[in-house]
Each structure stands twice: as C-alpha cells, then as structure tokens.
C-alpha cells in the first residue's frame, strides 16, 4: 500500500475489478496478490515483478518461483525465475539448479532474399552438459514441443516432390545436441563398452577435435547412441525425420531458418552457387568447427551445411500417409523400439533399407541445404559428408 495515498494501489498491485477500477477498489496483497499478478492477462513486466515479490513470502513464494522456472511457457519468465533462484543460498535450491538445465543466450539472425540481415534478436534456451568421461561433455538443448507444418510448399524454389505434401505434425518436447557430434565426443564414446559393432575411433576425413565426426554410417551412429545410453542411463538416439525438421525450422516457414536464403557468413556450403538472389561466397571445401556460425531460434548450430545428419527413419518417396505425431516412420518397427537404443540395436537384424539424412553439407549448393531437403543412403554408407547429432527424451520441463 502507498503510505501517502493509502487507498491507491501500488504500480504492480493486483486490483480487483481490472485496470480501470475506481478509487477505493480492493487491492490484493500478500501471496494472493503475487498469484493474481502472475495471471496470463498481465503484462510481462508485472509478472516478473511479481516473481521478485514472491520471495518475500517464505517457502510458498519460493515454490511459485520454482514453478515459473520449470513450467512457464515464456522463456523470459523462465529466465527471470532462474536468475532469482541463482541468488538463493538454500542447499536444496542449489542442488535443484545443479541437476537441471541452464539458460544460455544468443542472437538469432534473419536475412532477406539477398542475404542481407534484416533482424537480430536475443533468444534464450535451456541446455545441460552430459558427462561422457575424461573431461568430455555433450551439450544438449531443450526443444519445446509444438505443432508445425512439415515439408516444402509447392511455391518453394528448387523443392522436390519427395518433400511434399505439406502436413501438420505435433512434436513432444525433447533434447537435441547443440552441435553435430564432434570427433572428440566420438573418440570418447568409442572407448566405452561395445554393444554390437566395432567403431573406428578416428574415421573422419577432415581431422579436428572440434570438427564434426564424419565418414560414419547409420549403423555406426546407432552404436554410438547405444554406448552413450548405457554409460549415462539416459536414452540417446537419432532424431526422427519430423523431430529434425521441427528442430531446424525453430518456428520458421522459410527455406532456411535464417530466412529466404543463406550466405557463407551463416553456414558452410559450396559458396560458388547461390539461392534466391544472394551473392556468391566462400567455398571452404572442408568441414568447419562446430558452432562457427550463428544458431537458430532453438539455439542449435550448423543445422544447414557442414555435414548431413542421419535420422532414424527409413526412406519414403513422399509424405503420403506420414505420421503426424513426430514418431519414426517405420512400418516394420514400432516407434517405441527406437526409444531404447541398446535394445533396438541388439535386436536389429539385417535391415538394409535406405535411411534419411538432412541438412546439407560443406560440398553442397545452398538448394541442397534447405531445411525441407531430404536425402537417403544405404545404412552402411560412410562418406565425408555424413555425420549426425543425438537426441534424448525430456524428463525435465
């Protein structure tokens, strides 16, 4: 309450009756006022101020902030709650924060059809580090669930029939590798106990600890996922094709998550060729270190170019009768089998069906790096264009 004007609500008080309530209207104070100010209808700054005030009300207020950090759909609210909790000294809160994903921030760039930057926005995402062993970690980024339109529209330049028809797909939350799997991570996992297949600890054509591992087959990537899953107790697997495209789009509907085109300042591809009316650029003729270019809105790096990424699905010639729930499209194996990488690999017979790859590579023209572009290859193919990134479930939200 304002001491000088006791009948006037304070700036951030919750007022019964709404914004235009007359003088002497009832003002909700205490913890109930905090809860009222967190209502979805209130402006963001009011809700953030309410979170700060919640900490004045003991354990119940702390619980409100924890709930906002874990469950609020607005990343700004999550970030505000996280920042408040970081300042707390209670051991149980410190343990809670140490076991949960952390927020990181980054700029998201959008370009026009000439490749000129037209916007740059600050975004936040959650990630956690998985300890592989010997000081090697794997950064995993939280991908919130949602519904999106998968595939290329009929108007998209240089699109193919196998990218159609467009269809709605609903994706459940999951975590995805912030980067394509690196050679350091690959080497660390090859030292773990074998599940079914031997792995070459140094298969890549282009050497570099922080470059993506390449020259690995679909079968090789399954063995990697199974060994990592057995080590960590968390089910690491290849993404379904739908999960990969959803993660790459990150809410966009353009040919690239950057917008109408890409440039060699944004991705690693054959810059001698162009898309839309963007200029030519560098052709590096090799892979680059992961994270060398800006991320998408989910905080994922190198989703266009550098290396193609294996997906779990067998090849289908178009999207007729494709699943709409984000699952692996496989008539011979239920999606639940893919969710347990160790059992899936152990029980996998001689399955030589072609498998999906997405994203394009250092060798390809930009049209081959479009996010709707689909490539298929035999599952035992090893090529300097082919790598992968892993996903896992999202028990924490």
């Amino acid at each position: 309450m304002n001491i000088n004007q006791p009948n006037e609500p304070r700036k951030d008080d919750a007022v019964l009756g709404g914004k235009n309530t007359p003088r002497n209207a009832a003002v909700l104070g205490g913890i109930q006022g905090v809860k009222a100010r967190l209502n979805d209808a209130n402006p963001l700054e009011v809700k953030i101020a309410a979170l700060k005030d919640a900490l004045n009300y003991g354990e119940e207020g702390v619980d409100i902030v924890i709930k906002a950090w874990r469950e609020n759909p607005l990343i700004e609210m999550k970030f505000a709650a996280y920042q408040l909790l970081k300042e707390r000294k209670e051991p149980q809160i410190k343990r809670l924060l140490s076991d949960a994903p952390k927020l990181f921030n980054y700029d998201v760039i959008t370009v026009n059809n000439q490749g000129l930057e037209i916007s740059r926005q600050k975004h936040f995402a959650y990630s956690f580090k998985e300890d592989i062993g010997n000081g090697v970690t794997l950064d995993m980024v939280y991908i919130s669930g949602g519904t999106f339109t998968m595939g290329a529209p009929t108007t998209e330049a240089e699109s193919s029939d196998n990218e159609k028809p467009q269809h709605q797909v609903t994706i459940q939350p999951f975590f995805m590798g912030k980067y394509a799997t690196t050679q350091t991570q690959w080497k660390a996992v090859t030292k773990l106990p074998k599940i079914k297949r031997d792995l070459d600890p140094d298969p890549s054509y282009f050497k570099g600890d922080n470059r993506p591992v390449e020259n690995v087959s679909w079968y090789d990537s399954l063995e990697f996922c199974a060994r990592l899953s057995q080590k960590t107790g968390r089910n690491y697997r290849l993404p379904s094709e739908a999960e990969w495209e959803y993660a790459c789009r990150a809410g966009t509907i353009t040919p690239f998550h950057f917008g109408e085109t890409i440039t060699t300042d944004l991705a690693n591809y054959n810059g001698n060729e162009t898309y839309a009316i963007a200029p030519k650029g560098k052709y590096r003729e090799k892979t680059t270190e992961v994270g060398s270019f800006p991320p998408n809105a989910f905080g994922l790096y190198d989703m266009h170019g550098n290396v193609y990424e294996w997906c779990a699905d067998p090849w289908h010639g178009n999207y007729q009768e494709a699943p709409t729930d984000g699952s692996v499209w496989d008539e011979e194996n239920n999606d639940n089998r893919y969710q347990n990488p160790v059992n899936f690999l152990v029980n996998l017979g001689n399955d030589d069906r072609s498998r999906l790859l997405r994203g394009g590579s250092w060798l390809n023209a930009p049209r081959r790096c479009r996010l709707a572009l689909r490539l298929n290859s035999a599952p035992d193919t090893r090529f300097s264009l082919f790598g992968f990134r892993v996903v896992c479930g999202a028990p924490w939200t």
Side-chain angles (χ1 to χ4, degrees), residues 116 252 301 310 314:
L116 298 175
T252 63
Y301 291 76
W310 287 108

Side-chain angles (χ1 to χ4, degrees), residues 19-62:
K19 253 172 122 175
N20 298 317
T21 304
R23 290 169 64 93
N24 303 320
V27 178
L28 286 179
I31 196 70
Q32 293 305 317
V34 168
K35 291 178 180 179
R37 286 154 55 198
L38 288 169
N39 187 286
D40 287 344
N42 286 325
L44 179 63
E45 60 269 22
V46 171
K47 291 186 283 188
I48 290 176
L51 285 181
K52 295 177 182 178
D53 287 350
L55 297 179
N56 296 323
Y57 298 99
E59 189 173 332
E60 187 175 2
V62 172

Side-chain angles (χ1 to χ4, degrees), residues 86-210:
K86 273 204 317 182
E87 302 302 317
R88 305 292 293 187
K89 305 300 183 184
E90 296 93 328
Q92 64 270 30
I93 292 180
K94 289 189 176 296
R95 283 195 299 272
L96 182 69
L97 294 181
S98 68
D99 293 337
K102 308 297 189 297
L103 276 165
F104 67 102
N105 64 77
Y106 47 92
D107 289 336
V108 175
I109 294 172
T110 304
V111 298
N112 62 16
N113 62 357
Q114 301 174 63
L116 298 175
E117 183 176 325
I118 56 175
S119 76
R120 181 181 293 251
Q121 296 182 326
K122 186 71 70 179
H123 279 241
F124 301 92
Y126 277 107
S127 71
F128 73 88
K129 288 183 181 293
E130 186 71 84
D131 183 3
I132 300 176
N134 297 319
V136 179
T137 58
L138 174 67
D139 289 316
M140 300 296 294
V141 175
Y142 180 65
I143 310 298
S144 58
T147 299
F148 80 113
T149 301
M150 184 173 181
T154 56
T155 55
E156 186 165 304
E158 303 189 71
S159 60
S160 301
D161 289 343
N162 65 41
E163 302 165 16
K164 303 176 180 76
Q166 284 190 303
H167 55 292
Q168 296 289 109
V169 180
T170 298
I171 302 289
Q172 298 304 310
F174 62 99
F175 282 89
M176 189 174 212
K178 183 187 287 190
Y179 313 108
T181 304
T182 67
Q183 293 173 41
T184 293
Q185 292 162 348
W186 177 267
K187 289 173 185 175
V189 170
T190 62
K191 295 175 182 176
L192 300 176
K194 173 181 173 181
I195 304 299
K196 188 174 181 179
R197 300 172 60 86
D198 293 324
L199 292 176
D200 180 350
D202 191 20
S204 299
Y205 182 79
F206 300 107
K207 306 297 184 185
D209 289 346
N210 207 37

Side-chain angles (χ1 to χ4, degrees), residues 162-362:
N162 65 41
E163 302 165 16
K164 303 176 180 76
Q166 284 190 303
H167 55 292
Q168 296 289 109
V169 180
T170 298
I171 302 289
Q172 298 304 310
F174 62 99
F175 282 89
M176 189 174 212
K178 183 187 287 190
Y179 313 108
T181 304
T182 67
Q183 293 173 41
T184 293
Q185 292 162 348
W186 177 267
K187 289 173 185 175
V189 170
T190 62
K191 295 175 182 176
L192 300 176
K194 173 181 173 181
I195 304 299
K196 188 174 181 179
R197 300 172 60 86
D198 293 324
L199 292 176
D200 180 350
D202 191 20
S204 299
Y205 182 79
F206 300 107
K207 306 297 184 185
D209 289 346
N210 207 37
R211 286 184 175 181
V213 68
E214 24 85 4
N215 206 29
V216 292
S217 71
W218 184 78
Y219 291 130
D220 294 335
S221 63
L222 291 187
E223 176 72 24
F224 178 98
C225 290
R227 293 190 192 188
L228 182 60
S229 297
Q230 184 166 268
K231 155 93 176 155
T232 63
R234 200 189 310 271
N235 285 336
Y236 282 96
R237 57 183 175 81
L238 294 178
S240 70
E241 184 184 17
E243 286 174 327
W244 191 96
E245 185 170 324
Y246 176 77
C248 184
R249 285 193 181 279
T252 63
I253 59 173
T254 44
F256 307 88
H257 66 68
F258 292 110
E260 296 294 338
T261 189
I262 51 175
T263 69
T264 56
D265 291 331
L266 301 175
N268 181 24
Y269 62 93
N270 184 347
N272 291 328
E273 300 193 49
T274 65
Y275 190 86
I277 54 175
K280 291 183 178 181
K282 296 179 183 177
Y283 179 26
R284 297 175 176 90
E285 302 184 62
K286 58 186 177 183
T287 59
T288 50
E289 290 193 353
V290 300
S292 296
F293 301 94
N296 70 4
F298 278 141
L300 301 171
Y301 291 76
D302 307 311
M303 297 295 282
H304 297 300
N306 219 19
V307 290
Y308 276 105
E309 299 178 6
W310 287 108
C311 294
D313 308 59
W315 172 255
H316 293 81
N318 57 48
Y319 288 135
Q320 295 290 347
E321 301 181 1
T324 60
D325 61 357
S327 61
V328 177
W329 188 7
D330 186 350
E331 295 85 354
E332 296 182 18
N333 293 297
N334 185 282
D335 181 65
N336 290 333
R337 290 191 60 193
Y338 287 90
Q339 304 299 317
N340 188 321
V342 175
N343 289 345
F344 179 75
L345 181 61
V346 168
N347 295 306
L348 183 66
N350 185 26
D351 189 342
D352 60 356
R353 292 174 295 167
S354 291
R355 298 285 167 162
L356 264 297
L357 295 118
R358 303 295 296 264
S361 79
W362 59 269

